[in-house]
Amino acid sequence: MKGENSKRPIGVFDSGVGGLTVVREIKKTLPEEDIVYLGDTARVPYGTKSEKTIKKFAVEDVMFLLKYRVKLIVIACNTVSSVALNFLKETFPEIPIFGVVDPGVKEALRVTKSGNIGVIGTIATIKSGAHEKALLNAKEDLKVYTKPCPLFVPLAEEGITQGKIANDVISLYLHDLKGKIDALILGCTHYPLLKKAIKGFMGSDVTLVDPAVEIAKTVRSFLEKNNLLNNTGGELSIHLTDVPPHYKELIERFLGQKVNRIFQVELTGCEGGIKL
Ligand code: DGL
């Protein structure tokens, strides 16, 4: 792929709207890229589902994006990245596919001084052991602490990202890790919204690693190396498999900007726009 293909959009998908935190970072780093986003909001969450189901949904998500002639695909979802990245690469060898696990791992390895690293994510992400394996493959004498934090997802969606309730839940999940690590991978699309409160609890000597920031750098360097940078785009189209009434606010919170239009889609075909 070269030259004329640079104008093609970047495809990004997630189980829901959490992946818009990844879109937000890609837009910051690559403001002139067109982005087609798919959030499978009808079937979210993926993080509590089985490997078989996550893989099946992920294949459907990729097939949807391929219809838009995307030049590459970013799996914004940490759960899919942890459970199904290699499977998706094997299933769709014709398209470059990037997950969020490796960029987060690489950054954690760069920032840790003690070699004690924490990883938090959904139940499926932590159960997959993907981060742990990647970290220990890179350096076998690391100490890796993992913890599933499923309640962080509804907290972020409800906008409860600071205050007593948020702090209590953070303490419940993270007290085991406190004082033991100096880098913490936020292995879920929703967790960046809780950054401030997590940092407040863990202390200033713990570096929070946000895979959304790291994947944006990975994508930029891939596009640069392959002469695929677009300098004339910047459009974002958001496609969701379900659009409940309160979603406009949620989308804007995750994306960090206003949206006027989204598309409600079936994974077998686009069904037109919905005016918000
Ligand atoms: N997007 C998912 C992730 O990053 C969180 C929500 C879900 O469980 O589907 O793992």
Side-chain angles (χ1 to χ4, degrees):
M1 266 212 272
K2 278 219 186 76
E4 72 280 11
N5 288 322
S6 63
K7 301 265 179 288
R8 292 195 196 180
I10 294 173
V12 181
F13 76 91
D14 178 46
S15 53
V17 292
L20 291 168
T21 55
V22 173
V23 170
R24 185 181 188 154
E25 294 304 329
I26 295 176
K27 279 178 76 61
K28 267 193 222 161
T29 307
L30 296 159
E32 291 180 294
E33 293 294 330
D34 292 326
I35 299 173
V36 177
Y37 180 83
L38 171 66
D40 191 8
T41 45
R43 303 189 291 195
V44 69
Y46 284 9
T48 51
K49 298 199 166 64
S50 67
E51 183 177 327
K52 188 172 165 216
T53 297
I54 294 165
K55 284 181 174 166
K56 174 178 178 288
F57 289 174
V59 165
E60 291 167 2
D61 297 338
V62 169
M63 285 174 72
F64 176 85
L65 289 175
L66 289 179
K67 287 193 285 196
Y68 290 81
R69 299 192 68 244
V70 292
K71 57 187 171 188
L72 64 90
I73 289 178
V74 173
I75 309 171
C77 183
N78 292 257
T79 301
V80 175
S81 300
S82 299
V83 170
L85 175 64
N86 290 337
F87 169 73
L88 290 176
K89 282 178 183 258
E90 281 160 23
T91 311
F92 301 99
E94 70 280 18
I95 184 93
I97 302 182
F98 297 89
V100 283
V101 172
D102 282 349
V105 161
K106 214 169 121 203
E107 180 63 6
L109 289 165
R110 194 184 70 79
V111 299
T112 186
K113 291 191 178 69
S114 65
N116 298 328
I117 298 174
V119 183
I120 54 177
T122 64
I123 294 170
T125 294
I126 298 305
K127 192 174 166 292
S128 77
H131 295 83
E132 210 170 347
K133 280 177 216 151
L135 285 164
L136 295 172
N137 267 344
K139 207 163 176 285
E140 58 184 22
D141 61 345
L142 295 172
K143 197 138 182 55
V144 183
Y145 298 83
T146 64
K147 184 82 182 179
C149 303
L151 285 175
F152 286 180
V153 169
L155 278 183
E157 294 204 352
E158 287 297 318
I160 306 172
T161 52
Q162 291 190 66
K164 182 171 169 13
I165 298 173
N167 290 339
D168 284 351
V169 178
I170 288 168
S171 160
L172 171 78
Y173 287 139
L174 300 187
H175 73 271
D176 282 350
L177 275 60
K178 196 177 156 95
K180 296 196 178 122
I181 57 173
D182 68 353
L184 178 63
I185 300 178
L186 305 178
C188 175
T189 47
H190 289 59
Y191 300 0
L193 273 75
L194 291 154
K195 250 183 208 171
K196 216 169 162 186
I198 294 175
K199 182 90 178 166
F201 179 77
M202 294 304 288
S204 56
D205 44 356
V206 177
T207 304
L208 303 187
V209 175
D210 181 353
V213 174
E214 304 312 318
I215 184 74
K217 295 181 203 160
T218 306
V219 171
R220 187 183 54 202
S221 80
F222 174 83
L223 293 177
E224 279 167 359
K225 265 191 215 138
N226 291 280
N227 195 20
L228 283 170
L229 278 173
N230 187 358
N231 302 313
T232 57
E235 291 292 313
L236 166 65
S237 61
I238 299 175
H239 306 255
L240 303 179
T241 53
D242 189 29
V243 189
H246 66 288
Y247 259 42
K248 180 174 161 61
E249 199 222 315
L250 203 60
I251 289 166
E252 291 177 349
R253 187 151 11 99
F254 280 92
L255 185 61
Q257 69 174 64
K258 296 264 172 231
V259 288
N260 297 316
R261 199 175 170 80
I262 54 175
F263 295 92
Q264 176 155 6
V265 297
E266 297 285 333
L267 287 185
T268 47
C270 179
E271 290 193 331
I274 291 181
K275 195 99 190 82
L276 295 177

